[in-house]
Amino acid sequence: MNKPLADKLRPTCIEEVVGQNHLLGKNSILKNIISNGYMTNMIFFGPPGTGKTTVANILANKTNKKIYKLNATTASLEDVKEILRNSDDLTCRNGILLYLDEIQYFNKKQQQYLLEFIESGKITLIASTTENPYHHIHKAILSRSNIFEFKYLSKEDIIKGLYRGLDIAKKDFDTKIEFDDDILDYIATLSNGDLRRAINILELSIYSTAPDEDGNLYINIDSIKQNFKNKVVNFDKFKDDYYDTISAFQKSIRGSDPDASIHYLARLVEAQDLITICRRLLVIACEDVGMAYPNAITIVKSCVDAAKELGFPEARIPLAQATLVLATSPKSNSAMNAIDKAIQDIKTNDVGDIPKHLKDAHYLGAEKLGRGVEYKYPHNYDNNYVNQQYLPDNIKDARYYIPGKNKMEQNIVQYQKSIRNK
């Protein structure tokens, strides 16, 4: 069977692995572990096509333990039990190394079963996952493992891997393969940090190119652009990329960076996640702009309503307007701080009863109960203001609203001073 180019390219030693210098570079932790022949429980996590499985295989082959490999997408608890039944075999006298790919697909019961043998030392675990291990892996396994994060490969790393792939392809075809200078750069951009995807694009481009009269292959950029137009957007709803993008979106608006705000909006637009964008814009208008520009929520609500009415692709325009309004507005979180402080008081302090003069007096007998008797109607006084107590006695001096140091709220401060002084 003809192996895929990505499998032929798979490194057999650490020196052949591209990227991940923070883990595999000179004096890095994983490089030293391999050099010292030390083996411990490890969890590799990161995006697909970044070398997790490759490094795990290299590590496994360096050990003197009996190696078993399972993929959690297809493996069952019985497969693990079968491995453990062989643990007393002479070939397992140095212990078992279990390489478990996609460990996040093992449920809680399966992971707990593994834990017993990890604790006893019968199994040394090397696991890989594309998901955040802190969300998907049993805490007891995490506490007994070293966690290593694999990052998206840079364009330079991808191009380096593509050159190696070309060398292998040339030997397979036993012919001359020529290509436009900017092809590898274009493929690296399309792959978005995933070497496996880059190699697959390269392989398909080679196999879909007809040889010339001399039997040589010439790959031109136009044919690749025709078949591969868009790069992969790393956005899977309810996974890390999803929450990271939303977080970056709000933090960029809060930080008053309109360009970064629009960039992260574009990611969300490409993911066609209209509801999340609308909800986030509405909360930002109140949480981060708030009293510094109270009309922001009105503008944003209008933009959000327009976006929902229009749908994609036109929805991107009012969403961009709302984003830029918020990113370029003055900022204040005084409204959020005020309500949070008041809620905290209600939850933790004896706030006391509502003052009698503020209680409802719209019923027969209210006056006999003293309800509303001493209430002063502000509109009967100059500037529609009269000094009277509104908070309960127990917290009558509490202060929840602290105006921000922006033009709008400082105007509020001056207005409040003026009516109180008069």
Side-chain angles (χ1 to χ4, degrees):
M1 185 175 69
N2 191 25
K3 289 174 65 177
L5 183 57
D7 283 350
K8 296 175 184 176
L9 185 63
R10 192 179 293 280
T12 56
C13 63
I14 289 299
E15 288 69 28
E16 293 177 351
V17 178
V18 297
Q20 311 304 339
N21 287 332
H22 64 295
L23 297 177
L24 304 172
K26 187 177 180 181
N27 292 324
S28 60
I29 184 166
L30 263 182
K31 184 76 175 288
N32 290 337
I33 285 174
I34 294 167
S35 300
N36 295 331
Y38 176 70
M39 192 55 60
T40 183
N41 298 310
M42 303 181 203
I43 296 171
F44 297 162
F45 88 98
T50 53
K52 300 184 301 298
T53 302
T54 295
V55 174
N57 278 323
I58 293 170
L59 276 169
N61 292 330
K62 289 276 185 181
T63 183
N64 59 359
K65 298 176 183 290
K66 178 71 173 177
I67 301 168
Y68 290 94
K69 298 178 183 179
L70 292 177
N71 189 305
T73 57
T74 55
S76 65
L77 192 58
E78 188 56 39
D79 293 317
V80 178
K81 290 178 179 178
E82 180 62 30
I83 290 170
L84 288 163
R85 279 195 281 270
N86 297 328
S87 61
D88 294 327
D89 192 280
L90 280 176
T91 59
C92 299
R93 62 184 179 277
N94 293 316
I96 289 172
L97 187 143
L98 173 61
Y99 171 50
L100 183 58
D101 200 9
E102 304 291 354
I103 187 176
Q104 75 272 14
Y105 288 104
F106 261 18
N107 60 35
K108 187 176 180 181
K109 181 180 178 182
Q110 290 169 311
Q111 291 189 33
Q112 284 177 322
Y113 184 80
L114 267 179
L115 178 63
E116 177 186 346
F117 300 99
I118 292 170
E119 285 180 327
S120 68
K122 266 194 171 183
I123 287 179
T124 301
L125 178 70
I126 299 181
S128 65
T129 174
T130 54
E131 308 296 341
N132 189 326
Y134 294 99
H135 298 162
H136 295 273
I137 298 178
H138 198 289
K139 287 182 174 59
I141 291 180
L142 290 178
S143 69
R144 290 160 178 80
S145 306
N146 292 292
I147 300 168
F148 301 100
E149 181 179 6
F150 283 65
K151 299 178 180 178
Y152 288 110
L153 297 177
S154 68
K155 187 185 286 189
E156 291 74 21
D157 289 330
I158 297 287
I159 290 172
K160 193 185 297 182
L162 287 171
Y163 272 116
R164 286 190 57 220
L166 273 170
D167 289 340
I168 293 171
K170 287 175 182 176
K171 292 175 184 175
D172 284 352
F173 276 84
D174 194 24
T175 188
K176 190 175 182 181
I177 300 177
E178 296 181 337
F179 52 91
D180 290 344
D181 291 339
D182 48 358
I183 275 183
L184 298 190
D185 185 86
Y186 182 73
I187 293 176
T189 301
L190 281 180
S191 67
N192 204 18
D194 183 338
L195 181 56
R196 188 185 299 112
R197 173 171 165 78
I199 293 297
N200 289 342
I201 293 173
L202 177 66
E203 183 177 28
L204 185 57
S205 301
I206 292 171
Y207 277 100
S208 61
T209 300
D212 61 17
E213 294 176 355
D214 299 322
N216 297 324
L217 296 177
Y218 175 71
I219 308 168
N220 65 71
I221 189 100
D222 291 334
S223 64
I224 292 185
K225 285 183 175 180
Q226 187 177 352
N227 294 306
F228 305 97
K229 295 179 180 178
N230 297 314
K231 75 175 187 178
V232 174
V233 177
N234 298 308
F235 188 97
D236 196 349
K237 202 167 185 183
F238 305 123
K239 295 189 179 179
D240 271 11
D241 286 330
Y242 170 81
Y243 294 110
D244 290 345
T245 304
I246 295 168
S247 176
F249 179 54
Q250 179 160 0
K251 287 171 181 172
S252 297
I253 293 176
R254 182 184 295 149
S256 299
D257 188 327
D259 299 308
S261 302
I262 285 291
H263 170 79
Y264 292 114
L265 172 65
R267 292 194 185 198
L268 294 166
V269 167
E270 279 297 292
Q272 302 285 289
D273 192 10
L274 181 58
I275 299 302
T276 292
I277 300 169
C278 291
R279 291 183 69 250
R280 191 57 48 176
L281 286 169
L282 288 168
V283 77
I284 293 169
C286 300
E287 179 182 343
D288 295 307
V289 175
M291 293 297 291
Y293 182 30
N295 282 341
I297 183 62
T298 306
I299 298 170
V300 169
K301 180 64 167 66
S302 296
C303 290
V304 162
D305 288 346
K308 289 179 178 177
E309 185 75 20
L310 291 167
F312 287 123
E314 288 86 354
R316 75 191 190 284
I317 303 168
L319 294 176
Q321 180 181 342
T323 297
L324 290 173
V325 166
L326 295 175
T328 57
S329 293
K331 303 299 188 292
S332 173
N333 65 349
S334 59
M336 181 185 71
N337 289 342
I339 187 62
D340 286 351
K341 190 175 179 183
I343 289 171
Q344 185 64 17
D345 247 5
I346 290 167
K347 285 181 175 179
T348 59
N349 293 331
D350 177 15
V351 295
D353 196 14
I354 296 169
K356 279 190 175 183
H357 62 280
L358 298 183
K359 290 188 176 183
D360 178 29
H362 292 88
Y363 56 91
L364 190 65
E367 187 176 349
K368 291 180 180 180
L369 295 174
R371 305 295 199 262
V373 174
E374 297 179 6
Y375 175 63
K376 299 171 184 176
Y377 187 57
H379 295 296
N380 291 337
Y381 297 84
D382 290 343
N383 299 309
N384 304 304
Y385 173 80
V386 61
N387 184 29
Q388 65 183 326
Q389 182 181 324
Y390 292 96
L391 281 168
D393 288 340
N394 291 6
I395 55 168
K396 65 180 180 179
D397 296 321
R399 190 180 178 201
Y400 299 116
Y401 174 52
I402 310 298
K405 293 182 179 180
N406 55 76
K407 185 177 179 180
M408 176 65 72
E409 290 188 273
Q410 287 308 302
N411 285 340
I412 292 172
V413 170
Q414 292 307 314
Y415 169 71
Q416 292 268 304
K417 283 183 180 177
S418 70
I419 61 172
R420 280 171 170 73
N421 289 340
K422 290 178 182 177

